[in-house]
Amino acid sequence: MPVLSLVHRVITAIALASAALLAPSARAQLLPLDARLNEQVIMVPAGPRMNVSLETTLYKPAGPGPFPLLIINHGKSPGSPRAQQRDRFVYMATQFVRRGYAVMVPMRTGFAHSGGTYADFGCNMKANGYQQAGDIADVVTYARDLPYIDADHIVIAGQSYGGLASIALSTQDLPGVRGIMNFAGGLKVHGNACDWQGSLVSAFAEFGRKNRVETLWMYGANDSYFGPALVNRMYDAFSANGGKVQLVSYGPFKHDAHTMLGSRDGQSVWLPEVERFLRQVGMPTDQVYAVAEPAPQPASNYAALADIAAVPFLPEKGRQQYKDFLTKQTPRAFAVSSSGAWGWAEEGEMPNERALAACQAASREPCRLYSVDDYVVWTDSAEPPKDTMTGGTN
């Protein structure tokens, strides 16, 4: 069976580390829930006998509702689906909560803390898509019965493998679902085990024949998994077979357009197209709730950003890591501890919190942010270094 892997979020750090590093699931628990969005984690029943519980992130405005609903579907990280962290899609969720939506982000069967076993159909992209779509359909059914959900105003979004699953879902006539958005959707098989590109095209042809819902697709020019030539083949197969689709092909995005939806800076790319699509399918777009931006860390005059020698507590390996960190993309954050541990995060969601969690996983002493984006936030501390532990990442 070929190994399947899809980058479902921005890769954010490197592992270096000490014996104190925590497993990914434990590290994920260190990240706080987002009170601005009333974030909580619920378990949603799914499966043929409704005996699988899906770990699902829920965001919603204050008040009783009913709220229109967005369901966002995740991709597949390299490695075991069980080790994959809970996806959150904070940037997209924030924009939708501002517009009065509830937002659900379910982890499908066998992923993260969801129940059941992940089913892998190798190069059979039709089977992979339909299998994953089954969980999404169960979430729709569950959500429509909730008193705070407007059962007649639902949209679906999916990124990477979640995009493939969402387009497979578009073959079903689901009450209340008005549109489906596909961001860099697909699934890549590494190695030469099969013609996975051809299998994707064949799958999208079938999904187009059976399509029941309007769809929006967004793919970037420098997507490392699904380049323009393959995207055009998938689009042609879907549309030529009757699929309702609007393809937005945008230019290069940073190092890899595959990560656009999970990036803070991706909002300027996807939001105008999404608002246009929402209006077209009869969904609200006006901002009706205020959601504050996270409070920025104030810059300090402790040192120049590039002054590697000024970073406190770090052993030589840590200073090399800080030098490497300065080449990374924003948003980014670097954290240190008096124990000599460090941690950093690049791109994606909550980089400050992830950097602190990575540092803390390798430290017995408290960690603090040293720099954020392009400036130093550290203020001088009288705390002496306790040891020279090697630091980690998130």
Side-chain angles (χ1 to χ4, degrees):
M1 181 72 68
V3 176
L4 301 179
S5 68
L6 241 294
V7 178
H8 73 295
R9 60 160 67 85
V10 180
I11 301 300
T12 56
I14 16 189
L16 222 190
S18 75
L21 280 174
L22 303 178
S25 59
R27 292 201 303 273
Q29 300 308 310
L30 298 175
L31 299 180
L33 297 177
D34 194 330
R36 303 172 309 133
L37 304 174
N38 299 307
E39 181 182 9
Q40 56 184 291
V41 180
I42 62 175
M43 304 304 287
V44 173
R49 294 181 295 279
M50 292 292 131
N51 60 345
V52 174
S53 295
L54 305 182
E55 180 186 31
T56 301
T57 303
L58 170 66
Y59 308 96
K60 62 186 183 71
F67 307 112
L69 175 66
L70 168 69
I71 298 173
I72 313 176
N73 301 292
H74 64 83
K76 183 180 184 298
S77 291
S80 168
R82 181 63 64 203
Q84 188 164 315
Q85 297 184 26
R86 174 174 64 92
D87 274 271
R88 302 171 74 224
F89 292 99
V90 169
Y91 300 121
M92 179 171 252
T94 298
Q95 294 294 351
F96 273 79
V97 170
R98 283 179 174 149
R99 288 158 175 79
Y101 287 70
V103 179
M104 289 183 173
V105 186
M107 301 302 296
R108 299 186 298 277
T109 298
F111 286 89
H113 290 122
S114 293
T117 302
Y118 169 69
D120 180 350
F121 293 93
C123 291
N124 187 339
M125 296 300 173
K126 296 175 189 176
N128 283 321
Y130 286 135
Q131 175 71 25
Q132 300 299 308
D135 279 351
I136 307 171
D138 290 339
V139 175
V140 171
T141 300
Y142 170 84
R144 295 186 79 248
D145 287 335
L146 296 173
Y148 54 84
I149 296 299
D150 178 349
D152 294 323
H153 290 85
I154 300 171
V155 286
I156 310 293
Q159 196 271 335
S160 195
Y161 197 5
L164 174 66
S166 297
I167 296 302
L169 182 74
S170 79
T171 64
Q172 301 185 35
D173 187 11
L174 291 174
V177 175
R178 293 175 173 242
I180 289 177
M181 298 176 286
N182 161 27
F183 299 91
L187 185 65
K188 180 175 181 177
V189 179
H190 293 277
N192 299 312
C194 66
D195 177 16
W196 61 269
Q197 296 98 330
S199 183
L200 269 180
V201 172
S202 176
F204 277 101
E206 175 167 313
F207 300 155
R209 282 192 295 272
K210 298 181 178 180
N211 173 249
R212 298 288 183 270
V213 185
E214 295 282 348
T215 69
L216 169 69
W217 298 13
M218 292 192 70
Y219 290 84
N222 63 333
D223 189 304
S224 63
Y225 286 84
F226 313 116
L230 176 57
V231 170
N232 288 336
R233 291 173 63 196
M234 295 189 296
Y235 169 79
D236 289 344
F238 188 84
S239 59
N241 283 281
K244 305 170 186 177
V245 54
Q246 302 168 40
L247 173 62
V248 176
S249 298
Y250 58 94
F253 180 81
K254 295 193 171 182
H255 294 323
D256 188 349
H258 200 72
T259 66
M260 185 273 293
L261 192 65
S263 169
R264 180 185 66 188
D265 300 327
Q267 295 175 97
S268 63
V269 178
W270 64 260
L271 184 55
E273 299 295 341
V274 165
E275 285 189 311
R276 178 186 56 78
F277 181 73
L278 292 175
R279 286 191 290 268
Q280 179 185 328
V281 298
M283 297 293 290
T285 60
D286 291 342
Q287 295 192 41
V288 292
Y289 289 89
V291 178
E293 294 293 341
Q297 289 284 327
S300 69
N301 296 316
Y302 178 79
L305 179 72
D307 187 351
I308 298 171
V311 185
F313 308 135
L314 291 183
E316 185 55 36
K317 282 187 178 180
R319 298 195 186 282
Q320 183 59 50
Q321 278 290 291
Y322 184 73
K323 180 179 179 181
D324 292 343
F325 164 79
L326 293 177
T327 68
K328 305 304 178 183
Q329 297 184 111
T330 59
R332 62 187 182 183
F334 194 95
V336 298
S337 166
S338 62
S339 68
W342 69 89
W344 62 269
E346 174 198 20
E347 263 286 10
E349 300 163 353
M350 301 180 72
N352 295 5
E353 289 82 357
R354 295 197 332 269
L356 286 166
C359 175
Q360 204 61 63
S363 177
R364 303 180 188 90
E365 302 297 329
C367 291
R368 293 168 51 198
L369 291 173
Y370 178 77
S371 68
V372 171
D373 289 345
D374 292 321
Y375 56 92
V376 173
V377 300
W378 183 267
T379 55
D380 202 10
S381 170
E383 214 176 352
K386 303 293 177 61
D387 58 46
T388 56
M389 286 176 59
T390 302
T393 64
N394 85 333

